[in-house]
Amino acid sequence: MAKSLEERVRQIEDRLEIYNLIASHPPSADTGSRAHVANAWIEDGTFDRGAEFGGPQQQSNSAGGMGNPEHMRAISQGLAHFSGLPYVRISGDTAFAISYLQILVPDRVGPEFEVPNHGKGRGFHVHRVSANRWDFVRTAEGWKIKTRQLRTLDGNEGARGILVGTFAE
Amino acid sequence: MAKSLEERVRQIEDRLEIYNLIASHPPSADTGSRAHVANAWIEDGTFDRGAEFGGPQQQSNSAGGMGNPEHMRAISQGLAHFSGLPYVRISGDTAFAISYLQILVPDRVGPEFEVPNHGKGRGFHVHRVSANRWDFVRTAEGWKIKTRQLRTLDGNEGARGILVGTFAE
Amino acid sequence: MAKSLEERVRQIEDRLEIYNLIASHPPSADTGSRAHVANAWIEDGTFDRGAEFGGPQQQSNSAGGMGNPEHMRAISQGLAHFSGLPYVRISGDTAFAISYLQILVPDRVGPEFEVPNHGKGRGFHVHRVSANRWDFVRTAEGWKIKTRQLRTLDGNEGARGILVGTFAE
């Protein structure tokens, strides 16, 4: 059955709301803001950074925010999460996205580069590139993150498993 | 003549469909999935990576997928295509996009970086940054890629030619 | 009061127009095109790259375009502005966006990398990563940039101040 115009507009709004959810993650991670976490996740959401970081854990226990002095030390040294264009698919009240994410830090050991009209410095180092899978649910307070899983794109099977999900039915 | 609300909604849906087409390219390139190529391109689409890679060729003959052991070797070593925010313009049943694309690989020779709360490693190397022009057509099965052209942003005229197209009438 | 369908569609169109404004900045910066500046900014817009680059200044006096031989020299050596997914919020006839931006240049001093099926070369160097705040206004000729402020993500407070704005009311 053909969707009504209202349903089509709502699905578009869903898509743009999810874009903003993904886009608000880096400003949260790079400042330690908990406002994002409180609003963007369902209460018992799961965050899985892979075995190196302890596997799946409750997002509410996650070590990414102001409560973690190590994370705040990373921020004070310069930390940038950088998100590419995500692939997003919505099915009624659930949705998923596949995105790529870089983590960059100031380079303190490499040679200086001078770029005309763009200053001089050692620049930045790409510390990580990961494949991310986000699963979302619609709630009375809007779309929320239910689970997020990421794997470094170093050739491991886990990262490829996330990426092939883009084309799943 | 003013567009109807239905026409406006359709154009928005077109735009979001094209965003997803562009966003599904990296997961395809980084896994060797042919599902993307079969669905995303018209049958006789043309892909042009520049003279270094043989100039324009039929996408169906393109060497990017599972049939190419060299490409699969790159994937097994770690390969990440990373797409920025594209510029997209739609005109009825055709559209084009201008996008930037990075290719990153694990760095196996540089110094190790340790980032508090974010692990330790040699990080990633930006192997390529290219300007991309995508031309799309609307088909009975949705929007498809008709041609894609890319040039490395190393100062050559070809890359600038692609970028200035953003502002063409 | 619930928004009408027409108002909802218009807000979606606003959002997509702003995405294209942000996406057309890199092709402008990397070619020196003034077409973008003439169309994308209000007449007395302000651009603030931080104290290192002279603080806030009139965009019309900005040194980024064809009139600046140093900028054109950077372009001829290879220059890529690379924008991530922006966070965008619209309130009637004003809007703001928070985005991350990389500046990359060809690396002329590092080791060569050979990537199977993806050529050989020294690759690219990430010269800058910045947090950007864009403020927009709706005009009779569409959305325009009123102010843009950016700070390098090297751990300084200014960059963090821009990012926390994402979560402001």
Side-chain angles (χ1 to χ4, degrees):
Chain A
M1 202 174 67
K3 276 185 269 192
S4 73
L5 209 51
E6 202 284 334
E7 288 170 313
R8 290 165 65 186
V9 169
R10 182 164 114 150
Q11 189 154 14
I12 292 164
E13 290 169 335
D14 291 345
R15 177 87 162 259
L16 296 182
E17 192 177 331
I18 287 171
Y19 281 163
N20 261 3
L21 267 180
I22 296 172
S24 63
H25 160 253
S28 169
D30 298 334
T31 59
S33 168
R34 300 307 282 181
H36 176 262
V37 175
N39 289 318
W41 285 80
I42 62 167
E43 205 172 332
D44 57 348
T46 307
F47 184 26
D48 174 5
R49 295 165 81 194
E52 183 190 352
F53 295 95
Q57 51 194 280
Q58 289 286 101
Q59 161 60 20
S60 49
N61 298 332
S62 159
M66 284 185 175
N68 181 346
E70 282 302 284
H71 188 82
M72 297 313 288
R73 195 155 70 87
I75 290 172
S76 71
Q77 293 174 1
L79 181 66
H81 288 71
F82 194 102
S83 176
L85 179 74
Y87 176 90
V88 179
R89 199 179 317 162
I90 296 161
S91 306
D93 294 331
T94 62
F96 76 88
I98 307 290
S99 73
Y100 285 70
L101 183 72
Q102 294 183 22
I103 298 177
L104 299 110
V105 295
D107 187 341
R108 292 191 167 83
V109 298
E112 282 205 331
F113 280 68
E114 177 155 18
V115 180
N117 196 38
H118 290 83
K120 189 166 80 169
R122 298 187 192 283
F124 282 75
H125 170 74
V126 183
H127 184 59
R128 289 280 162 119
V129 186
S130 61
N132 291 252
R133 167 149 184 148
W134 312 68
D135 282 274
F136 304 95
V137 288
R138 188 198 305 274
T139 76
E141 289 81 38
W143 286 90
K144 304 271 184 190
I145 307 163
K146 189 183 170 193
T147 62
R148 183 176 154 220
Q149 186 189 36
L150 68 84
R151 294 292 182 272
T152 298
L153 278 154
D154 57 7
N156 76 75
E157 284 289 344
R160 275 180 272 172
I162 287 175
L163 296 179
V164 295
T166 311
F167 310 105
E169 282 318 295
Chain B
M1 204 174 67
K3 274 184 270 192
S4 73
L5 209 51
E6 202 284 334
E7 287 170 314
R8 289 165 66 186
V9 169
R10 183 164 112 150
Q11 189 154 16
I12 292 164
E13 291 169 336
D14 291 344
R15 176 85 163 259
L16 295 182
E17 193 177 331
I18 287 170
Y19 280 163
N20 261 2
L21 267 180
I22 296 172
S24 63
H25 161 253
S28 169
D30 297 335
T31 59
S33 168
R34 301 306 282 179
H36 177 262
V37 174
N39 289 318
W41 286 79
I42 62 167
E43 206 172 332
D44 57 348
T46 306
F47 184 25
D48 173 5
R49 298 165 80 194
E52 184 190 349
F53 295 96
Q57 51 195 279
Q58 290 285 101
Q59 161 60 22
S60 49
N61 298 332
S62 159
M66 284 184 176
N68 181 346
E70 281 302 284
H71 188 81
M72 296 314 289
R73 195 155 71 87
I75 290 172
S76 71
Q77 292 173 2
L79 181 66
H81 288 72
F82 194 102
S83 175
L85 179 74
Y87 176 89
V88 179
R89 198 179 319 161
I90 295 161
S91 306
D93 294 331
T94 62
F96 76 88
I98 308 290
S99 73
Y100 285 69
L101 183 72
Q102 294 183 22
I103 297 177
L104 300 110
V105 295
D107 187 341
R108 293 193 167 83
V109 299
E112 281 207 330
F113 280 68
E114 177 154 18
V115 181
N117 196 37
H118 290 82
K120 190 166 80 169
R122 297 187 194 284
F124 282 75
H125 169 74
V126 183
H127 183 59
R128 288 280 162 120
V129 185
S130 61
N132 291 252
R133 168 151 184 147
W134 312 67
D135 283 274
F136 303 95
V137 289
R138 189 198 305 273
T139 74
E141 290 81 37
W143 286 90
K144 305 271 183 189
I145 307 163
K146 189 183 170 194
T147 61
R148 183 176 155 221
Q149 185 188 37
L150 68 83
R151 294 292 183 271
T152 298
L153 278 154
D154 57 7
N156 77 76
E157 285 288 344
R160 275 181 271 171
I162 287 174
L163 297 178
V164 294
T166 311
F167 311 105
E169 281 320 293
Chain C
M1 203 175 66
K3 274 184 270 191
S4 72
L5 209 52
E6 201 285 334
E7 287 169 314
R8 291 164 66 187
V9 169
R10 183 164 113 150
Q11 190 154 15
I12 293 164
E13 291 170 336
D14 291 345
R15 177 86 162 260
L16 296 182
E17 192 177 332
I18 287 170
Y19 281 163
N20 261 3
L21 267 180
I22 296 172
S24 64
H25 160 253
S28 168
D30 298 334
T31 59
S33 167
R34 301 306 282 179
H36 176 262
V37 174
N39 290 318
W41 286 79
I42 62 167
E43 206 172 332
D44 57 348
T46 307
F47 184 27
D48 174 6
R49 296 165 81 194
E52 183 190 350
F53 295 96
Q57 53 195 279
Q58 290 285 100
Q59 161 60 22
S60 50
N61 297 333
S62 160
M66 283 184 176
N68 181 346
E70 281 302 285
H71 189 81
M72 297 314 288
R73 194 156 71 88
I75 290 172
S76 72
Q77 293 174 1
L79 181 66
H81 288 72
F82 194 102
S83 175
L85 179 75
Y87 176 90
V88 179
R89 200 180 315 163
I90 296 161
S91 305
D93 295 330
T94 62
F96 76 88
I98 308 290
S99 73
Y100 285 70
L101 183 71
Q102 294 183 21
I103 298 177
L104 299 109
V105 295
D107 187 341
R108 293 194 167 81
V109 299
E112 282 206 330
F113 281 68
E114 177 155 18
V115 181
N117 197 38
H118 291 82
K120 190 166 80 168
R122 297 187 194 282
F124 281 76
H125 170 75
V126 183
H127 184 59
R128 289 279 162 119
V129 185
S130 61
N132 291 251
R133 168 152 182 146
W134 312 68
D135 284 273
F136 304 94
V137 289
R138 189 199 305 273
T139 75
E141 289 82 36
W143 286 90
K144 305 271 183 189
I145 307 163
K146 189 183 169 191
T147 61
R148 182 175 154 222
Q149 186 188 37
L150 68 86
R151 294 292 183 270
T152 298
L153 277 155
D154 57 7
N156 76 75
E157 285 289 344
R160 275 180 272 172
I162 287 175
L163 296 179
V164 296
T166 311
F167 311 106
E169 284 317 295

